[in-house]
Amino acid sequence: FLIFYIGYKFWSLKVGMLASFLTIFSTGSIQASHFGTFESFLTLMYLLIFLLSLVFIKRDKLLYFFLSAIGIGLTSAVKINSVIIFAISFFLLIVYSKQKKIPFHKTFFYTFISVIILIFLTILLSPYYTTLDFKNLFIYEKNLLTGSLPVFYTEEFFNTTPIIYQFLHVFPFLINPVLTVIFIPSLLYQAYGGLKTKNMLSIMLLLFFLVIFLPSALLFAKWTRYIVPALPFVYLIIAIALVDFLKRKVLHVKYFVLSIIITANVISAASYFITAFVRQDSRIEAGLWAKEYIPGNVNIISEIYDLGITPFNQYFPNIT
């Protein structure tokens, strides 16, 4: 609903309809709900903060800037690196202050108040951040994400190139290969058009995508779920570019392009749905295969973090 509303309210009805259609048949969205990880909540909150930012641009009321700070505080309580979104809100405040010729000391005061709100909400809702356990976990996660701590489940990321990896191995799965090809020129179109015309709506859409996508893309660990919160912005960028492109095309070309997009989305969504919800889980399949072909009394050594060993526990008592 938020994607439709944003597309419709700030661009056009066609943009809202197309972006929401792409989201409904999004493999990445289906997988995120299947995982049940906090990226689903982050996606919702980033969209709400984006909406508040667009309303701030349209209505010129500081209330929406402070509401954005509240939203960022809520989101940072779930995942601390969400605080980076505040950089966009701060940028908007600077633009607003310049347009309204607000004195520096008032701008500083607004920034100070918003930062206090953000920090207060983050700590209030996640007091775990103040503990030594979090510090130790943070160090562990940092080493994991930068590649300085090698573990078996990040070995696929050795000798990979950031950003290129995402466009070759992540986006083709999350949004399907056809949309991945379309997204590249759509992103360039959005950047060129927004910067050339100084359209703040387009610039905000571009900023939200880049601020969410780039930090995770540049990490050593490049799991697909890190990109999920960026998907709504990907679909909006594609929808805006396609609607503008199809305006200039004759009817049969429009039908041809739309039929390819619809077919690609439906096939990719159906394929993943069957894999995730119809077929048996591959870990259970592996456990059943092992039960049939491996003696039950053998000694088995497993990685300490490998949850995939769980189905084996009922068949093999000697797992270390």
Side-chain angles (χ1 to χ4, degrees), residues 278-289:
V278 178
R279 287 183 54 189
Q280 190 173 47
D281 190 291
S282 58
R283 293 163 295 186
I284 295 175
E285 285 185 344
L288 292 171
W289 183 92

Side-chain angles (χ1 to χ4, degrees), residues 135-259:
K135 180 183 177 182
N136 295 333
L137 178 66
F138 184 83
I139 293 171
Y140 167 75
E141 290 286 343
K142 177 181 72 69
N143 294 335
L144 191 71
L145 297 177
T146 57
S148 57
L149 175 64
V151 292
F152 80 97
Y153 54 84
T154 60
E155 288 181 3
E156 64 188 297
F157 304 127
F158 283 110
N159 302 315
T160 57
T161 305
I163 299 177
I164 293 176
Y165 179 89
Q166 277 79 14
F167 278 92
L168 289 179
H169 302 285
V170 179
F171 279 124
F173 167 71
L174 291 179
I175 68 174
N176 79 54
V178 172
L179 284 187
T180 302
V181 172
I182 294 173
F183 175 55
I184 296 171
S186 299
L187 182 61
L188 296 174
Y189 174 77
Q190 188 72 26
Y192 175 76
L195 295 173
K196 183 181 179 182
T197 61
K198 296 183 180 178
N199 184 317
M200 282 300 294
L201 298 181
S202 296
I203 290 172
M204 290 305 295
L205 178 56
L206 188 66
L207 280 177
F208 264 84
F209 168 72
L210 292 175
V211 169
I212 295 169
F213 170 71
L214 285 179
S216 58
L218 295 173
L219 292 172
F220 168 78
K222 303 175 180 65
W223 289 303
T224 56
R225 64 185 177 88
Y226 288 164
I227 308 299
V228 168
L231 293 186
F233 306 98
V234 170
Y235 294 132
L236 283 167
I237 289 169
I238 291 173
I240 293 167
L242 276 175
V243 168
D244 285 355
F245 172 76
L246 293 175
K247 280 180 185 176
R248 304 177 178 89
K249 300 301 173 185
V250 293
L251 203 58
H252 67 272
V253 174
K254 292 181 182 180
Y255 285 139
F256 176 71
V257 172
L258 286 173
S259 63

Side-chain angles (χ1 to χ4, degrees), residues 4 8 23 35 53 78 89 100 121 191 214 217 274 285-286:
F4 170 78
Y8 165 60
T23 305
F35 277 176
S53 301
V78 176
S89 295
K100 299 294 182 181
L121 279 174
L214 285 179
I274 291 169
E285 285 185 344

